[in-house]
């Protein structure tokens, strides 16, 4: 091997040795991002109350949803803001597909409405859409999520990385299963009250329908028979 060939080989070797070092420099950042993305959900109703959303439904159940800011911080903040502003109170589940999901969050009840706040940029993540997943609804534009969200009845992995998964039902899934079906339902289930657990609002229950009292008809004879002083 001549002197020029030796120098060339040495340069290639030094370059090859430098490649793993560069990769190692980048690895910690990727590992840190993965570490901040929990794949499990905290089902303890007594912990981290500022990240539990309560939905008091018109079917008499309270649904507790664990919000996970590490999955989608901007979407979680939007849900908290709207809940605390009373935006979701009285809104119905306007699209409920059996075996798929229940969608709500539109004050018009048509699926075309939202809040006055600006739309959100997508925060798609690797978390799968399993039973009880709570994810943000959107239009065709990936950055069009606003206030509508849906709760998944059964796993639907085709939604993964296409819709922003921001939470999971941790209590009251039976109440979700009982939401009236339809697009829209004939007798829709409503959110009576949405609140954050740390705010301590008591569950709002549906009021029983009171029978209408028959109004007494006042006749001329009744007036004529009345005694006056």
């Amino acid at each position: 091997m001549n002197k020029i060939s030796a120098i060339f080989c040495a340069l290639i070797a030094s370059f090859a040795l430098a490649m793993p070092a560069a990769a190692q420099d980048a690895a910690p950042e990727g590992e840190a991002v993965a570490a901040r993305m929990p794949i499990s959900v905290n089902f303890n109703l007594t912990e981290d109350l500022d990240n539990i959303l309560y939905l008091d439904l018109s079917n008499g159940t309270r649904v507790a949803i664990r919000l996970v800011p590490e999955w989608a911080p901007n979407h979680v903040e939007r849900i908290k803001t709207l809940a605390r502003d009373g935006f979701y109170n009285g809104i119905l589940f306007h699209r409920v597909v059996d075996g798929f999901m229940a969608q709500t969050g539109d004050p018009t009840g048509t699926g075309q409405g939202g809040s006055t706040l600006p739309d959100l940029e997508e925060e798609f993540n690797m978390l799968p859409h399993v039973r009880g997943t709570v994810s943000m609804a959107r239009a065709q534009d990936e950055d069009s999520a606003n206030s509508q969200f849906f709760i998944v009845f059964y796993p639907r992995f085709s939604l993964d990385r296409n819709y922003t998964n921001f939470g999971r039902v941790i209590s009251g899934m039976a109440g979700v299963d009982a939401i009236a079906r339809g697009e829209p339902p004939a007798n829709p289930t409503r959110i009576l009250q949405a609140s954050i657990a740390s705010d301590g609002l008591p569950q709002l229950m549906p009021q029983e329908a009171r029978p209408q009292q028959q109004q007494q008809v006042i006749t001329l004879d009744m007036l004529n028979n009345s005694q006056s002083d």
Side-chain angles (χ1 to χ4, degrees), residues 1 27 43 88 111 148 182 192 195 211 219:
M1 181 181 296
F43 278 76
Y88 292 115
Q148 295 188 41
L192 299 180
S195 64
T219 66

Side-chain angles (χ1 to χ4, degrees), residues 83-186:
R84 284 176 164 146
D85 286 346
F87 174 84
Y88 292 115
N89 298 350
I91 288 182
L92 56 83
F93 284 85
H94 64 271
R95 181 170 180 246
V96 187
V97 183
D98 197 27
F100 182 19
M101 58 88 212
Q103 186 170 331
T104 186
D106 173 15
T108 71
T110 65
Q112 304 299 315
S115 75
T116 58
L117 298 176
D119 291 344
L120 296 164
E121 292 186 8
E122 57 87 3
E123 292 180 304
F124 302 156
N125 52 57
M126 64 180 182
L127 282 305
H129 284 71
V130 296
R131 174 172 164 79
T133 287
V134 187
S135 194
M136 212 69 172
R138 62 173 176 84
Q140 187 173 2
D141 183 352
E142 292 183 347
D143 299 327
S144 60
N146 186 283
S147 63
Q148 295 188 41
F149 62 90
F150 58 91
I151 306 174
V152 179
F153 292 127
Y154 294 103
R156 188 62 66 99
F157 302 130
S158 61
L159 302 175
D160 298 353
R161 301 178 187 271
N162 289 305
Y163 293 84
T164 299
N165 181 342
F166 65 87
R168 180 89 171 272
V169 174
I170 59 174
S171 178
M173 192 63 195
V176 176
D177 290 334
I179 293 174
R181 270 54 168 176
E183 301 182 64

Side-chain angles (χ1 to χ4, degrees), residues 1 23 31 33 38 42 47 60-61 73 81 91 102 132 143 161 164 177 194 206 220:
M1 181 181 296
E31 292 173 0
V33 171
N42 183 359
E47 296 179 353
T61 60
T81 296
I91 288 182
D143 299 327
R161 301 178 187 271
T164 299
D177 290 334
L220 183 60

